[in-house]
Amino acid sequence: MIDALAASLGLAPGDPSFWMPLLFMGMLFALIVAGTVLDGFDLGVGILLQLAPSDDRGRMMALLSPWRDANEFWLLLGVGLFAAAFPFAWGVVLGQLYAPLTLMLLGVVLRSVSFEFRLRARTEAKPRWVLGFWMGSLMTAFGQGMALGRIATGYQNTAGYHGFSLFVGLCAVAAYVLLGATWLTMRVDGDLQRRAVQWARHAIRWTAAGMVAIAVTLGLANAGIFYKWSNLSHLGLAVGVWVAMLLGFVLTEMVLARLPRQAERFSWVPFVTCVGLFLLMLCGLAYSLFPYLVLDDMTLWDGAASLGSMRLVLSGAVVAVPLIVVFNILAYRSVFGKAKGSLQ
């Protein structure tokens, strides 16, 4: 497949002009996966703040403290890498996703400011910064969902497609709520854990609806993607992905229905299963869109920077990526297991 793709571009598989855009796309995909999953439970907990009793909100934010700095990496790295490695696609994509990306950026800034200011605020002012963190989390999740909806519809501008983007935005909020609630289920005990279980069970249906809507719309809106998934050589893969996702949702619901009393030792299963569902969705989306940055219009190689520029960026990545990996391994090593202490 790689040989055929290289030949269609008039390049050899070993030519840097061929494999370097692929390498950068792989790095960008890894950053998207890391940001979606690792920052996802952070977003989910933030969205759930207003549903929790006021006495639990400080505890929920304190639970996030070990990972807040690590989670701020992903968006900055992803945006920087995309702009540096694919400058010709940057303007096109930014123009099409201006509204959702602006909403997402405002949400990210509001989240970061609110989290830090809450730590330093007087007791009577803390609820206002908790509200700011909730608003920022909601804006970030909704903006990401709207961007995904726009990408899935090929940036169509009719009213129906805009309505679909709004629907996917709401489903993205539910998906992050599911991830955050299952993480809380794994991390806490008592009343907060029982509430988290109920939140997760409400969110799982909308998460499933959103993932199905994205998959169906991708196929119906683009004949090439429909053929890629439906032809006999790839039909087994498509069936396998759908079956795996169905089993993931069923397993999550079954374990949640037995928590917290009957299946406490398996409280980690819903979170791990949700991470698997996110990975399946992102891998399916990447497979559907490859090799395009702008569907049916601009490939990786059309949008890539010059070879000299990519070599310069790659030399920086060789130094920075190992440091980031080590930092995040240290930061996320305690993401599982029950939380200790009662910091507010």
Side-chain angles (χ1 to χ4, degrees):
M1 178 180 176
I2 294 297
D3 291 343
L5 181 59
S8 69
L9 296 168
L11 300 170
D15 190 332
S17 297
F18 174 74
W19 61 261
M20 286 188 75
L22 282 175
L23 176 61
F24 278 108
M25 196 65 234
M27 293 169 62
L28 183 61
F29 179 71
L31 289 174
I32 291 172
V33 169
T36 301
V37 174
L38 299 179
D39 195 28
F41 70 84
D42 189 329
L43 278 172
V45 173
I47 296 169
L48 289 168
L49 284 173
Q50 292 303 108
L51 298 179
S54 57
D55 292 342
D56 284 328
R57 293 171 187 172
R59 181 187 179 195
M60 290 168 66
M61 292 190 71
L63 287 170
L64 299 175
S65 295
W67 302 285
R68 278 299 304 152
D69 290 337
N71 287 340
E72 292 173 355
F73 267 118
W74 308 115
L75 178 64
L76 295 175
L77 285 174
V79 169
L81 182 65
F82 184 73
F86 302 103
F88 298 106
W90 172 254
V92 177
V93 173
L94 189 65
Q96 295 289 349
L97 299 178
Y98 182 81
L101 291 181
T102 300
L103 182 65
M104 185 173 66
L105 179 61
L106 291 173
V108 168
V109 173
L110 182 57
R111 292 181 81 226
S112 298
V113 170
S114 297
F115 192 89
E116 297 298 330
F117 276 40
R118 178 195 167 272
L119 295 176
R120 296 159 177 80
R122 296 188 302 272
T123 301
E124 61 272 17
K126 287 182 182 293
R128 285 180 292 195
W129 295 114
V130 172
L131 179 63
F133 189 76
W134 169 76
M135 291 178 61
S137 300
L138 189 62
M139 291 164 61
T140 303
F142 190 72
Q144 288 185 17
M146 284 184 64
L148 180 58
R150 294 280 292 143
I151 292 170
T153 56
Y155 307 117
Q156 299 293 324
N157 288 314
T158 59
Y161 286 119
H162 284 301
F164 176 78
S165 296
L166 294 175
F167 171 75
V168 176
L170 293 174
C171 291
V173 172
Y176 283 124
V177 164
L178 176 62
L179 196 61
T182 54
W183 183 76
L184 283 174
T185 299
M186 176 182 67
R187 293 284 292 170
V188 301
D189 294 307
D191 289 340
L192 184 56
Q193 186 188 43
R194 285 189 286 274
R195 292 177 188 275
V197 169
Q198 294 304 313
W199 294 330
R201 296 189 69 186
H202 285 298
I204 193 170
R205 295 161 180 80
W206 287 102
T207 303
M211 290 186 178
V212 171
I214 286 293
V216 172
T217 302
L218 271 172
L220 295 180
N222 188 277
I225 293 177
F226 181 81
Y227 175 77
K228 183 183 289 188
W229 283 102
S230 62
N231 75 79
L232 292 178
S233 61
H234 298 95
L235 191 57
L237 176 63
V239 172
V241 170
W242 280 105
V243 170
M245 294 186 75
L246 176 62
L247 291 176
F249 281 116
V250 170
L251 177 61
T252 302
E253 175 63 26
M254 288 177 62
V255 177
L256 287 171
R258 288 161 176 77
L259 284 170
R261 296 179 181 176
Q262 300 178 30
E264 179 59 34
R265 61 176 177 165
F266 298 112
S267 62
W268 55 271
V269 171
F271 177 70
V272 172
T273 306
C274 287
V275 170
L277 288 170
F278 272 69
L279 290 175
L280 280 172
M281 184 198 71
L282 290 171
C283 288
L285 186 64
Y287 176 74
S288 298
L289 298 178
F290 183 82
Y292 292 100
L293 291 172
V294 179
L295 198 57
D296 293 336
D297 187 39
M298 183 180 294
T299 67
L300 308 181
W301 297 273
D302 294 329
S306 67
L307 196 57
S309 296
M310 286 191 291
R311 283 175 173 154
L312 180 62
V313 176
L314 184 60
S315 64
V318 168
V319 176
V321 169
L323 295 176
I324 294 169
V325 170
V326 171
F327 174 80
N328 282 283
I329 288 174
L330 294 174
Y332 288 102
R333 70 185 187 278
S334 59
V335 76
F336 292 95
K338 296 297 181 184
K340 298 178 180 179
S342 57
L343 294 175
Q344 297 293 318

